[in-house]
Amino acid sequence: MSGEERNIRLCLAYDGTGYSGWQRQPEARTVQATVEACLKRMTSEELTLHGAGRTDAGVHALGMVANFHTRTSIPVHGLWRGLNAMLPADIRILKVQEADPRFHSRYSATGKAYRYDLYTGPVQQPTRRLYETHVPCRFALDPVLRCLALLRGTHDFSSFEARGSRNPACTNGRGAVRTLFHCSCTPGPEPESWSFRFLGDGFLRHMVRNLVGTLLLVARGQMTTDEFSTVLQARNRSLAGPTAPARGLFLEQVFYGPLP
Amino acid sequence: MSGEERNIRLCLAYDGTGYSGWQRQPEARTVQATVEACLKRMTSEELTLHGAGRTDAGVHALGMVANFHTRTSIPVHGLWRGLNAMLPADIRILKVQEADPRFHSRYSATGKAYRYDLYTGPVQQPTRRLYETHVPCRFALDPVLRCLALLRGTHDFSSFEARGSRNPACTNGRGAVRTLFHCSCTPGPEPESWSFRFLGDGFLRHMVRNLVGTLLLVARGQMTTDEFSTVLQARNRSLAGPTAPARGLFLEQVFYGPLP
């Protein structure tokens, strides 16, 4: 509790299987609370870890970013080693850096990249079951690609937002309007596996999972590209498809500064 | 208990994390016992499931083969559906076929392919922790490739056999002599990840894990290629390196007939 105040930026990865998501909640095992508890033990300070976003229960992260303010004198390498020694094996700290005092993991972010992994064959490899969603189906790629082309750009994504989830304090007055710079669907590493990727300036609650759930209707021939376009324009959640399961979703990266 | 005796061949995959290996043991959760219990419920017969090999605790299988004799009239598709409905999610039946009465998953096998996955970077992605071994180290590929070239062909692999493990009934009189038709080490899907592959006519207990543990000494500069050659020729387990952890090992495929 002695030195100058420092702003420390963490990049971390986690297997979301055993967590009720990122955000601290009473009586639930969450990633934020788990990392905060280790930081409090190391620094003997009451501190808050600010995450770049709130992943849901079961969602994984390959490159979440978070920051906290502290007066500890422990060097960044010591924080990195100490956290990885104390944390459970399903959370790993990839990087610890000193950050500008004004850096905030959420408000400074310029974009995020999510991946959603899917397996459409008849029987899934058990070693993949926690990291890709299994939907045995015929998967028609062409109409999916046409829908992804419609999604690129700036839209009101209300149709793909979880009901009753809007927190006006978090949206900076932009409502449900977000920009998707990149969206793709490519074959995954195994036959009949697929990876969706979305790069945007921000994402509404459940947005990626609702997009994937609706695109799956298109892939299976249960919704046409025209109907998908209507859903997007309608700004009405009840027209879109179901929310795809959490296990296939990965927060890949959070961007600060110019996007790729 | 009515019809003709049938010989049924299964191809199955499992996540070995939650199992004390393949082979039935009192008071342990094993893959063989778990699948047998489902088969007994479905057929109301006392039967034995013969596996092509015995994977150790924590070892995964992408394509284990097993067979059993039965008089049930349930068609193969019904067995496939029924087993996958009853089995836990970490065991999946990929294929069920009628087999020749003389087919035996172990004695008829002409070869097996194993893969061993490794990550050598400083921090491992938590979603990979159960499926690749984490050894943070400098990994020198060239000397490893020279050692793999020495392993190809027919050798007495006593130096790489688990101590006290020989069951003379299982070796068909060939002792510790086995033939490796193919062995390789290639970069894995992520930077600093590596995959070893071994295709042979048979493998001694812990052979792949002992080979990988010793090749890791070579990769880190703790053993020369010449020393590795001496270890192979010595037929002495105490000269080889440690047994690499189970979690990185996958039984990829069992072959019947000509090898690839």
Side-chain angles (χ1 to χ4, degrees):
Chain A
M1 295 295 223
S2 48
E4 290 286 298
E5 184 171 277
R6 298 157 68 196
N7 188 8
I8 305 288
R9 169 176 167 172
L10 306 179
C11 181
L12 67 159
Y14 46 89
D15 181 333
T17 309
Y19 293 91
S20 302
W22 167 266
Q23 195 178 19
R24 197 187 325 109
Q25 297 169 49
E27 301 179 47
R29 185 175 186 247
T30 70
V31 180
Q32 183 189 24
T34 304
V35 181
E36 273 180 356
C38 293
L39 285 171
K40 287 175 187 174
R41 272 180 60 194
M42 287 180 77
T43 62
S44 308
E45 289 175 34
E46 275 307 308
L47 48 77
T48 300
L49 183 66
H50 304 282
R54 301 166 190 175
T55 55
D56 292 316
V59 173
H60 314 293
L62 303 176
M64 171 65 102
V65 175
N67 74 297
F68 64 96
H69 294 268
T70 178
R71 292 188 180 276
T72 184
S73 58
I74 305 172
V76 290
H77 187 71
L79 289 167
W80 177 76
R81 283 184 70 108
L83 282 170
N84 279 329
M86 289 165 74
L87 283 166
D90 53 6
I91 302 178
R92 292 289 91 189
I93 307 296
L94 304 177
K95 208 162 162 185
V96 183
Q97 297 166 274
E98 305 279 351
D100 186 277
R102 290 159 302 181
F103 174 81
H104 187 287
S105 59
R106 176 143 47 103
Y107 304 129
S108 309
T110 52
K112 282 181 201 152
Y114 282 97
R115 190 178 89 217
Y116 195 99
D117 285 349
L118 201 66
Y119 178 68
T120 58
V123 189
Q124 184 181 38
Q125 279 291 341
T127 49
R128 298 288 303 139
R129 75 194 185 286
L130 305 173
Y131 312 105
E132 72 188 3
T133 295
H134 184 207
V135 185
C137 68
R138 194 183 66 88
F139 189 95
L141 182 59
D142 282 352
V144 168
L145 295 178
R146 285 198 295 276
C147 293
L148 289 171
L150 295 172
L151 289 173
R152 248 164 248 136
T154 303
H155 304 279
D156 182 312
F157 285 98
S158 297
S159 293
F160 302 100
E161 181 177 24
R163 284 196 190 78
S165 62
R166 190 80 55 78
N167 177 349
C170 299
T171 62
N172 302 323
R174 59 185 167 163
V177 175
R178 297 290 183 277
T179 300
L180 288 183
F181 301 106
H182 171 84
C183 25
S184 65
C185 179
T186 54
E190 304 296 325
E192 301 182 89
S193 72
W194 303 93
S195 290
F196 287 92
R197 283 191 173 78
F198 299 92
L199 169 65
D201 65 350
F203 291 84
L204 305 166
R205 181 145 189 255
H206 288 184
M207 180 168 146
V208 176
R209 293 165 59 189
N210 289 338
L211 284 170
V212 171
T214 310
L215 290 165
L216 265 170
L217 296 179
V218 174
R220 300 155 95 165
Q222 294 165 343
M223 181 183 278
T224 65
T225 311
D226 283 350
E227 286 164 346
F228 186 89
S229 174
T230 305
V231 170
L232 174 60
Q233 287 160 41
R235 306 181 203 175
N236 179 349
R237 173 70 187 95
S238 61
L239 296 181
T243 308
R247 70 187 61 155
L249 184 58
F250 293 77
L251 172 58
E252 288 206 304
Q253 209 176 334
V254 185
F255 295 95
Y256 300 90
L259 293 175
Chain B
M1 295 295 224
S2 50
E4 290 284 298
E5 184 173 277
R6 298 157 69 194
N7 188 9
I8 305 288
R9 169 175 165 172
L10 306 179
C11 181
L12 66 160
Y14 46 86
D15 180 334
T17 308
Y19 293 91
S20 302
W22 167 266
Q23 194 177 20
R24 196 188 326 108
Q25 297 168 51
E27 300 178 49
R29 186 176 185 245
T30 70
V31 180
Q32 183 188 24
T34 304
V35 181
E36 273 180 356
C38 293
L39 285 171
K40 288 175 187 174
R41 272 179 61 194
M42 288 180 77
T43 62
S44 307
E45 290 175 34
E46 276 306 309
L47 48 77
T48 301
L49 183 65
H50 304 283
R54 302 168 189 172
T55 56
D56 293 315
V59 173
H60 315 293
L62 304 176
M64 172 62 104
V65 175
N67 74 296
F68 64 98
H69 294 268
T70 178
R71 292 187 181 278
T72 184
S73 59
I74 305 171
V76 291
H77 188 71
L79 289 167
W80 177 76
R81 283 185 69 108
L83 282 170
N84 279 329
M86 289 165 73
L87 282 166
D90 52 7
I91 303 179
R92 293 290 90 189
I93 307 295
L94 304 177
K95 207 163 164 186
V96 183
Q97 297 166 273
E98 304 279 350
D100 186 277
R102 291 159 301 181
F103 173 81
H104 187 288
S105 59
R106 177 143 48 103
Y107 304 129
S108 309
T110 52
K112 282 182 202 149
Y114 282 96
R115 191 178 88 217
Y116 195 98
D117 286 348
L118 200 67
Y119 178 68
T120 57
V123 189
Q124 184 181 37
Q125 278 292 341
T127 49
R128 299 288 303 140
R129 74 195 187 286
L130 305 173
Y131 311 105
E132 71 187 5
T133 295
H134 184 207
V135 185
C137 68
R138 194 182 65 90
F139 189 94
L141 182 58
D142 282 351
V144 168
L145 295 178
R146 286 198 294 275
C147 292
L148 289 171
L150 296 173
L151 290 172
R152 248 165 249 136
T154 304
H155 305 278
D156 183 312
F157 285 99
S158 297
S159 293
F160 302 100
E161 181 177 23
R163 284 196 190 79
S165 62
R166 189 80 55 79
N167 177 349
C170 299
T171 61
N172 300 325
R174 59 183 168 164
V177 175
R178 296 290 182 277
T179 300
L180 288 183
F181 302 104
H182 171 81
C183 25
S184 65
C185 179
T186 53
E190 303 296 324
E192 302 182 90
S193 72
W194 302 93
S195 291
F196 286 92
R197 282 189 173 80
F198 300 91
L199 169 65
D201 64 351
F203 290 85
L204 305 166
R205 182 146 188 256
H206 287 184
M207 180 168 147
V208 176
R209 293 165 58 190
N210 290 337
L211 284 170
V212 171
T214 310
L215 290 164
L216 266 170
L217 295 179
V218 174
R220 299 155 95 164
Q222 294 165 342
M223 181 184 279
T224 66
T225 311
D226 284 349
E227 286 164 345
F228 185 89
S229 175
T230 304
V231 170
L232 173 61
Q233 288 161 39
R235 306 181 203 174
N236 180 348
R237 174 69 186 95
S238 61
L239 296 181
T243 308
R247 71 186 60 153
L249 184 58
F250 293 77
L251 172 59
E252 287 206 303
Q253 208 175 336
V254 185
F255 295 95
Y256 300 92
L259 293 174

